[in-house]
Amino acid sequence: MLCTLNSLGLHGITGYLVTAECDLSSGLPNFDIVGLPDTAVKEARERVRSAIRNCGFTFPVSRITVNLAPADRRKGGTLYDLPMLVGILCAGRQMPAPAAGSAFVGELSLSGELRPVTGMLPMALAARSAGLTALYVPADSAPEATLAGGLTVYPVENVAQLAAHLRGEVPIAPAEPWVPVPGNGTVPDFADVKGQEPVKRALEIAAAGGHNIAMIGPPGSGKSMLARRLPSILPDLTEREALECTQIHSVLGLTTKEEPLLTRRPFRAPHHTISVMGLSGGGSPPRPGEISLAHNGVLFLDELPEFQKETLEVLRQPMEEGRVQISRVSGTEVFPSRFMLVAAMNPCKCGWYGHPSGRCRCSEHEVKRYLGRLSGPLLDRIDLYVEVPPLAFDELSARPAGESSAEIKKRVDAARAVQTARFGPDGPDCNAHMGPKELHACCELDEGCRAVMQGAFDRMGLTARSYDRILRVARTIADLEGSEHIQVPHLAEALQYRESSYLRR
Ligand SMILES: Nc1ncnc2c1ncn2[C@@H]1O[C@H](COP(=O)(O)OP(=O)(O)O)[C@@H](O)[C@H]1O
Ligand SMILES: [Mg+2]
Ligand SMILES: [Zn+2]
């Protein structure tokens, strides 16, 4: 007696179709799982056995073989509990076979309750593209499964409920497609930040063009506070971007049934003690790291010089390509990682260099060494450097609240609309991602600009990469102003953000 069911699997951040074949035959009672199962899948035997018994069914006294195909792909996790249970009960004629085109995933408790699975969205998308029509999933995973669209999603609470449904006694109502609750949750607002207008201006430019930015200033000057407010002025996620982000977060179990879809750009702030693997991703099976969790959003590296050099090195390729390659014996895994880098740093080890109080006790040499720890190629990939001075007392005590994030976001959105119109649907999504073609077509410099650029080139010893980066920022400043061409003031402002006095020393 053989029963074949559809299930799903996860490889990296992509789902794929799995066929679970359950065979009951005569012979010594035994329960075997084949098809490269990991330990969690092997342990399913105990959960399935108990759940079957505790839900009023009989565990067959037969030789049970479950094959998870394709047999050459490693199967991990607890999601095959449910398809195995259904397969065994159907093969033993204790439960009617489900309609063709249905797939099952879910972890079981010993009493037959279903527990949510990770990676629901990528698996649901795989089910959809494989032409399946119905998905039986743990009730808590159902909201996320509906995000794939085009599938009937049955939220299953427990085995008894599923049995009643398959027998046609009490049908399970399909899950309604999940829709975000508008205005749910709040993000910190720029209105809380007093003064610091030049920093806010730089952050507005960074947001408008998707540029990387670094803030340098003494402790307590508000660097972290300002960085955390950046997502509030970034453009809304498009539907495609939201699904991309959600898949990555889902695989790591970071989505919830209340909020299965990411509706805000991610803001990731890993601590400086993070490992290379934690940042870039890796492991076996390979899992995405912080740079992929920050995809379509912000990667905030607070106290940048405190990070291990090797850790920061892994940022280079993803910052150029918007994706990270993880090479393993078994092959190469590619995860998306197009993020905006926001870095914060103190000017020196003690933090107070340049502070009017004169509290810094570092020698010139020590100050140099502190920022010198950062590699040139990394510094080169940061488009805007902005100093965050300590606020004077009268500023802190007297200033009224600053401009709200909503007002700043309006200007950012307008500048992005200009970029979208210019690049079209197949072009880059913002100025920071302009390639050589767009740079050539959209960043032409007139005589005056060329002279300014020439002067800066000689003075600052710029590299070809920084030349392009300056052009991109100048383009964004022109877009914020609604100017078709880059003009001298736009270029001059862009250049000024490369000229931090701390870096020149
Ligand atoms: N411009 C500002 N307006 C209002 N509060 C500020 C400002 N700058 C700093 N603060 C206050 O000081 C605290 C410390 O700032 P923080 O962002 O942690 O500084 P940094 O990261 O530069 O060390 C903030 O949480 C905030 O309460
Ligand atoms: Mg801080
Ligand atoms: Zn110091």
Side-chain angles (χ1 to χ4, degrees):
M1 284 165 293
L2 177 73
C3 173
T4 303
L5 289 179
N6 296 311
S7 185
L8 300 156
L10 208 53
H11 182 80
I13 55 164
T14 327
Y16 63 96
L17 198 62
V18 168
T19 311
E21 299 168 316
C22 301
D23 185 44
L24 304 190
S25 59
S26 53
L28 281 182
N30 194 10
F31 188 170
D32 259 340
I33 303 171
V34 296
L36 286 187
D38 75 354
T39 337
V41 178
K42 286 185 193 144
E43 284 175 359
R45 287 181 295 202
E46 304 313 318
R47 291 187 296 269
V48 169
R49 200 191 309 265
S50 297
I52 287 183
R53 288 199 181 122
N54 291 330
C55 293
F57 297 96
T58 6
F59 191 78
V61 189
S62 321
R63 193 187 156 83
I64 304 171
T65 311
V66 175
N67 178 33
L68 301 172
D72 59 347
R73 277 203 163 175
R74 201 157 282 287
K75 315 295 180 317
T78 51
L79 69 167
Y80 301 110
D81 293 5
L82 183 64
M84 286 195 228
L85 174 135
V86 174
I88 291 170
L89 292 180
C90 293
R93 308 250 186 278
Q94 297 191 69
M95 207 188 240
S102 312
F104 295 79
V105 290
E107 174 183 331
L108 288 167
S109 75
L110 299 186
S111 62
E113 299 293 316
L114 277 129
R115 295 190 173 134
V117 294
T118 56
M120 191 65 248
L121 176 60
M123 291 194 287
L125 289 167
R128 191 186 160 178
S129 52
L132 298 184
T133 49
L135 218 49
Y136 292 84
V137 303
D140 285 352
S141 297
E144 187 175 317
T146 65
L147 299 176
L151 293 163
T152 307
V153 175
Y154 293 106
V156 185
E157 304 271 0
N158 54 55
V159 173
Q161 186 201 21
L162 177 64
H165 170 87
L166 291 176
R167 287 193 199 110
E169 295 164 5
V170 189
I172 300 174
E176 294 291 331
W178 186 83
V179 281
V181 186
N184 200 1
T186 48
V187 282
D189 199 288
F190 273 105
D192 308 331
V193 184
K194 295 175 185 163
Q196 306 291 21
E197 299 308 330
V199 188
K200 289 188 207 163
R201 164 74 178 168
L203 286 168
E204 178 176 333
I205 295 168
H211 306 289
N212 301 321
I213 182 168
M215 291 181 282
I216 309 171
S221 57
K223 302 181 296 295
S224 304
M225 182 188 197
L226 284 152
R228 291 193 180 279
R229 280 157 179 76
L230 183 59
S232 68
I233 60 167
L234 287 174
D236 297 334
L237 281 172
T238 65
E239 204 172 308
R240 182 184 55 76
E241 288 172 331
L243 285 176
E244 276 174 10
C245 295
T246 302
Q247 288 181 66
I248 300 167
H249 285 246
S250 168
V251 167
L252 295 181
L254 298 175
T255 50
T256 62
K257 65 173 195 263
E258 290 80 20
E259 266 189 79
L261 183 72
L262 262 82
T263 50
R264 264 188 224 100
R265 293 193 181 267
F267 180 89
R268 304 295 304 183
H271 190 253
H272 59 72
T273 53
I274 193 171
S275 66
V276 170
M277 204 205 273
L279 192 65
S280 68
S284 177
R287 284 155 62 91
E290 287 292 336
I291 58 171
S292 294
L293 287 170
H295 180 58
N296 290 330
V298 175
L299 181 70
F300 177 44
L301 301 184
D302 207 352
E303 319 285 358
L304 186 71
E306 301 290 333
F307 281 75
Q308 294 284 327
K309 225 178 165 133
E310 308 80 71
T311 315
L312 294 180
E313 278 307 289
V314 306
L315 293 174
R316 278 162 67 168
Q317 184 215 9
M319 283 175 80
E320 285 306 302
E321 298 175 11
R323 61 200 193 117
V324 57
Q325 267 188 30
I326 295 163
S327 298
R328 312 195 40 78
V329 225
S330 50
T332 301
E333 201 70 41
V334 176
F335 295 136
S337 64
R338 192 174 286 296
F339 55 85
M340 240 176 102
L341 178 70
V342 179
M345 45 192 143
N346 295 333
C348 64
K349 185 82 189 159
C350 80
W352 299 102
Y353 181 84
H355 194 269
S357 67
R359 270 162 80 176
C360 174
R361 291 279 168 266
C362 305
S363 67
E364 274 297 315
H365 176 67
E366 282 168 326
V367 176
K368 231 181 210 152
R369 214 180 47 189
Y370 189 65
L371 292 182
R373 282 164 61 177
L374 297 168
S375 80
L378 177 67
L379 296 178
D380 229 14
R381 284 169 170 82
I382 295 177
D383 307 285
L384 302 108
Y385 288 89
V386 58
E387 282 167 35
V388 188
L391 273 199
F393 174 76
D394 53 338
E395 278 183 301
L396 256 183
S397 55
R399 283 246 191 184
E403 198 179 15
S404 77
S405 292
E407 285 167 73
I408 304 172
K409 184 170 181 295
K410 270 188 214 153
R411 297 194 295 268
V412 169
D413 284 342
R416 285 279 180 127
V418 174
Q419 297 166 51
T420 310
R422 179 166 62 225
F423 300 135
D426 300 323
D429 58 339
C430 59
N431 288 338
H433 305 146
M434 279 193 279
K437 196 179 96 201
E438 292 84 16
L439 277 169
H440 182 75
C442 324
C443 301
E444 216 186 331
L445 297 182
D446 62 19
E447 271 309 303
C449 286
R450 288 174 63 89
V452 170
M453 197 63 140
Q454 172 86 59
F457 219 79
D458 298 342
R459 193 174 68 248
M460 297 160 66
L462 298 174
T463 63
R465 186 188 294 117
S466 48
Y467 178 86
D468 285 351
R469 288 191 172 263
I470 290 164
L471 278 188
R472 294 188 185 101
V473 173
R475 182 64 263 173
T476 300
I477 296 171
D479 288 341
L480 275 167
E481 211 140 280
S483 166
E484 194 190 333
H485 298 288
I486 297 176
Q487 292 164 13
V488 170
H490 309 144
L491 186 61
E493 187 178 355
L495 280 165
Q496 170 223 306
Y497 293 121
R498 304 272 320 181
E499 286 199 279
S500 170
S501 59
Y502 295 113
L503 295 166
R504 250 186 287 127
R505 279 172 308 112

